[in-house]
Every structure is written in structure tokens, then in C-alpha cells.
Amino acid sequence: GNLLICPEGQSQPAANSPAKFYSGAFRLALEADVEPYILPIALAGFDRRYKDSLLVAVIQKPFRVSEAMATTGETDLRQFLDSYRQRFAVAVREAQELSRKAQSDVPVGDPAERRSA
């Protein structure tokens, strides 16, 4: 089965995203009998009312934590998560920019009208 986890573990303003990742979900992935893929999804537009914005998701390539750590040469999970957070922030900024652009390209009005625009 699939499991959805927000590794930031806290609610905060979108401008501060991504926050420091908690390691629990990543430790669980590393300790699983069959290591699952992590599918990073950067969201933007969720910080405003849905009728006033468009939700954007930037879906990145899935990875296994152990393989990503080996590729980057990192052996400490905390070190890996801190460096991965910096890389993930690029996707967050992309999603935020896409959300801003989409918002400026969509006519103001009823959300049902916007979905058909």
C-alpha cells in the first residue's frame, strides 16, 4: 500500500517551505523489509483560499533513500536530509512560480469558470 507523509511535520507559512525534514519517515523507509520509493511532491497555492488560487504540484523522480545517500556519498541520514532539503527547495520554488504564473493567466471569477479556462 501507499503511505502519504509530510516530512516537515508542522504547519507553517508557505514562504518558509520546505522546513527542516523530520527523519522518522526516512528511517522507516530505510528499515523496511523492502525499501519503498519516496515520491517527492512540491505543492504551491495551498496557502490561499482555493477559490482565489490554483493548486500546483511538481512531482519529482521517485528515489530510494539508501540509493540517494549512496549516490551523494552521504552516510549520515541527518546530513542527507539537510542537503536533500536544499535540492527539494528548488522544486518548491518552481511550484510557487508556476502557481503565480497560472494565477496571473486565469481570469477572475467563479472557480467553475476558471477550471474551464
Side-chain angles (χ1 to χ4, degrees):
N2 296 316
L3 178 63
L4 178 65
I5 297 175
C6 176
E8 294 171 289
Q10 59 190 354
S11 180
Q12 63 180 359
N16 297 341
S17 184
K20 183 176 181 176
F21 291 149
Y22 284 76
S23 63
F26 298 93
R27 281 187 283 116
L28 285 173
L30 285 169
E31 295 172 9
D33 289 335
V34 176
E35 187 179 352
Y37 281 101
I38 304 292
L39 179 62
I41 303 173
L43 298 174
F46 61 87
D47 55 332
R48 296 179 300 271
R49 293 173 58 180
Y50 289 129
K51 73 177 196 71
D52 297 329
S53 69
L54 295 174
L55 186 61
V56 172
V58 172
I59 302 170
Q60 294 187 300
K61 183 179 176 182
F63 67 90
R64 288 191 168 100
V65 176
S66 63
E67 293 171 359
M69 288 177 69
T71 300
T72 60
E74 293 163 318
T75 57
D76 178 72
L77 182 59
R78 177 79 267 147
Q79 179 185 13
F80 168 75
L81 291 177
D82 289 344
S83 65
Y84 178 69
R85 177 179 171 238
Q86 293 174 353
R87 294 188 300 273
F88 183 70
V90 173
V92 171
R93 287 191 297 274
E94 178 185 355
Q96 291 169 339
E97 182 58 34
L98 287 169
S99 179
R100 279 191 291 275
K101 183 179 181 331
Q103 185 62 31
S104 67
D105 291 346
V106 175
V108 177
D110 180 1
E113 293 172 12
R114 292 193 323 193
R115 280 192 283 276
S116 65

